[in-house]
């Protein structure tokens, strides 16, 4: 994502880069062609799980649902109950970090069904890099079933878990490997927020993010192989919203120094901050339901 000057919010039009002003079929064709050329980095967020009915999804489908689950275990004060990072910080401060990690493991170490987005991503022609910012292991399970694919994952760490490290590297069997091993993987699954599997790494509390946000602008927490594989690539954001500063910061910094053309599937009205973010970073919005968008893109790739 190339660096650009800030744009005055008053000049923004939320639809200026969406499917309303650019033909939807053209956007879909462009995305499909880039995916076939392996020049796309899929970037998947928790919104992909919104494609599953709540009754069929044993894990939280967004930050709000996760905050509710945490509050059910340790009730945070009313003024912060809806703020995920603050609730996590409250549990960490009052009950110890191990308590927070144990609760998160209980929540996310459940067998969640693959959403249409995750199932589709696993069938793509071996993207060099996939970014997944939720704490589940669905993509890990799908990629593990592809025995012919060489892949592994890199997970972000909190300060207590990291002992001075920003990330850890894991082979498909869950064993920890060196950073050098990642160079030989066809696909790197990058989980910047961590994951329940295999080791229960979580970047989630206020203190976690304060630490990483002090360094992320100079790219220190982002693994070299991720920086290498994003170069010149187009990012495709699926199940992501950008109405919170942390979401925008991670989206911007992980895609830094990549291509100057990206896409995001976001249906409906954008917030002012989201519209500004898409405009600043040349992200074309595809205003379609997520399931419909991947159906059309998949057909265009056939």
């Amino acid at each position: 994502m190339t660096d650009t000057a800030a744009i005055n919010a008053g000049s923004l039009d939320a639809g200026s880069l969406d499917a309303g002003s650019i033909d939807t079929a053209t956007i879909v064709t462009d995305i499909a062609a880039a995916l076939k050329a392996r020049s796309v980095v899929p970037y998947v967020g928790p919104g992909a799980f919104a494609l599953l009915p709540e009754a069929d999804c044993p894990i939280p489908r967004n930050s709000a649902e996760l905050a509710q689950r945490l509050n059910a275990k340790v009730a945070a004060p009313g003024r912060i109950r809806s703020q995920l990072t603050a609730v996590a910080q409250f549990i960490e401060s009052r009950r110890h970090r191990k308590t927070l990690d144990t609760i998160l493991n209980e929540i996310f170490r459940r067998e969640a069904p693959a959403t249409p987005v995750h199932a589709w991503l696993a069938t793509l022609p071996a993207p060099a890099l996939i970014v997944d910012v939720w704490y589940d292991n669905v993509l890990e399970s799908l990629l593990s079933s592809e025995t012919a694919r060489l892949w592994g994952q890199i997970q972000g760490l909190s300060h207590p878990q990291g002992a001075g490290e920003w990330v850890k590297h894991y082979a498909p069997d869950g064993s920890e490997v060196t950073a050098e091993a990642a160079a030989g993987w066809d696909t790197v699954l990058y989980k910047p927020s961590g994951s329940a599997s295999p080791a229960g790494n979580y970047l989630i509390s206020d203190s976690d993010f304060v630490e990483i946000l002090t360094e992320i602008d100079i790219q220190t927490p982002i693994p070299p192989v991720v920086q290498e594989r994003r170069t010149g690539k187009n990012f495709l954001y699926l199940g992501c919203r950008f109405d919170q500063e942390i979401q925008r910061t991670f989206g911007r910094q992980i895609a830094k120094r990549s291509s100057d053309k990206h896409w995001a599937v976001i249906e409906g009205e954008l917030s002012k901050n989201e519209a500004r973010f898409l405009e600043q970073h040349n992200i074309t919005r595809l205003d379609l339901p997520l399931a419909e968008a991947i159906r059309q893109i998949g057909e265009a790739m056939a």
Side-chain angles (χ1 to χ4, degrees):
M1 191 177 290
T2 54
D3 296 324
T4 57
I7 298 174
N8 186 288
S11 67
L12 294 175
D13 174 2
S16 61
L17 285 176
D18 66 13
S21 57
I22 303 174
D23 181 69
T24 299
T26 299
I27 300 174
V28 168
T29 299
D30 288 348
I31 295 172
L35 284 165
K36 291 172 73 173
R38 296 185 67 206
S39 66
V40 170
V41 175
Y43 187 114
V44 61
F49 286 100
L51 298 181
L52 299 177
E54 185 174 3
D56 296 339
C57 188
I59 65 172
R61 301 175 300 166
N62 51 52
S63 295
E65 289 185 4
L66 178 52
Q68 291 173 358
R69 298 274 189 101
L70 292 178
N71 276 296
K73 295 289 186 178
V74 179
R79 67 183 184 279
I80 64 168
R81 287 178 66 86
S82 63
Q83 302 169 34
L84 175 59
T85 61
V87 173
Q89 186 64 53
F90 177 82
I91 297 172
E92 180 176 333
S93 300
R94 296 297 181 92
R95 298 289 185 90
H96 199 273
R97 179 71 189 207
K98 289 184 179 179
T99 300
L100 174 62
D101 292 343
T102 297
I103 294 171
L104 290 167
N105 286 336
E106 291 175 358
I107 291 172
F108 282 100
R109 286 183 177 171
R110 304 181 183 191
E111 188 174 349
T115 73
V117 172
H118 295 89
W120 175 68
L121 287 176
T123 68
L124 294 177
L129 175 65
I130 300 174
V131 181
D132 182 356
V133 298
W134 205 224
Y135 305 105
D136 63 282
N137 68 348
V138 170
L139 269 178
E140 175 188 350
S141 298
L142 290 170
L143 292 174
S144 293
S145 67
E146 298 282 334
T147 56
R149 189 196 302 246
L150 295 175
W151 76 280
Q153 62 178 312
I154 305 174
Q155 296 185 3
L157 306 172
S158 72
H159 179 67
Q161 294 169 319
E165 299 176 294
W166 291 109
V167 298
K168 286 189 177 181
H169 301 70
Y170 297 99
D173 65 0
S175 60
E176 188 175 347
V177 296
T178 65
E180 289 73 23
W185 295 338
D186 295 332
T187 297
V188 170
L189 174 61
Y190 179 38
K191 304 272 288 185
S193 302
S195 177
S197 176
N201 301 313
Y202 298 102
L203 193 71
I204 189 169
S205 68
D206 282 340
S207 58
D208 292 342
F209 284 108
V210 165
E211 182 161 359
I212 197 168
L213 292 177
T214 61
E215 298 285 339
I216 199 168
D217 190 53
I218 58 174
Q219 299 285 284
T220 306
I222 304 202
V225 69
V226 172
Q227 297 187 41
E228 176 187 345
R229 294 189 180 208
R230 73 187 177 188
T231 302
K233 295 297 194 296
N234 315 107
F235 276 67
L236 174 62
Y237 298 95
L238 303 164
C240 300
R241 296 303 300 250
F242 300 104
D243 46 1
Q244 300 295 322
E245 181 61 31
I246 288 175
Q247 298 162 341
R248 294 191 294 274
T249 298
F250 270 66
R252 177 174 63 253
Q253 296 296 345
I254 291 172
K256 202 170 188 177
R257 303 187 183 97
S258 58
S259 174
D260 60 356
K261 181 178 182 180
H262 311 282
W263 303 279
V265 179
I266 303 177
E267 181 185 16
E269 185 177 356
L270 298 175
S271 70
K272 184 180 293 185
N273 284 331
E274 286 181 303
R276 182 186 300 113
F277 178 79
L278 300 187
E279 183 86 14
Q280 286 176 333
H281 300 294
N282 201 31
I283 302 172
T284 299
R285 179 168 72 120
L286 188 55
D287 186 2
L288 288 174
L290 186 53
E292 176 63 16
I294 61 171
R295 184 192 68 79
Q296 291 190 23
I297 295 168
E299 289 182 354
M301 292 180 67

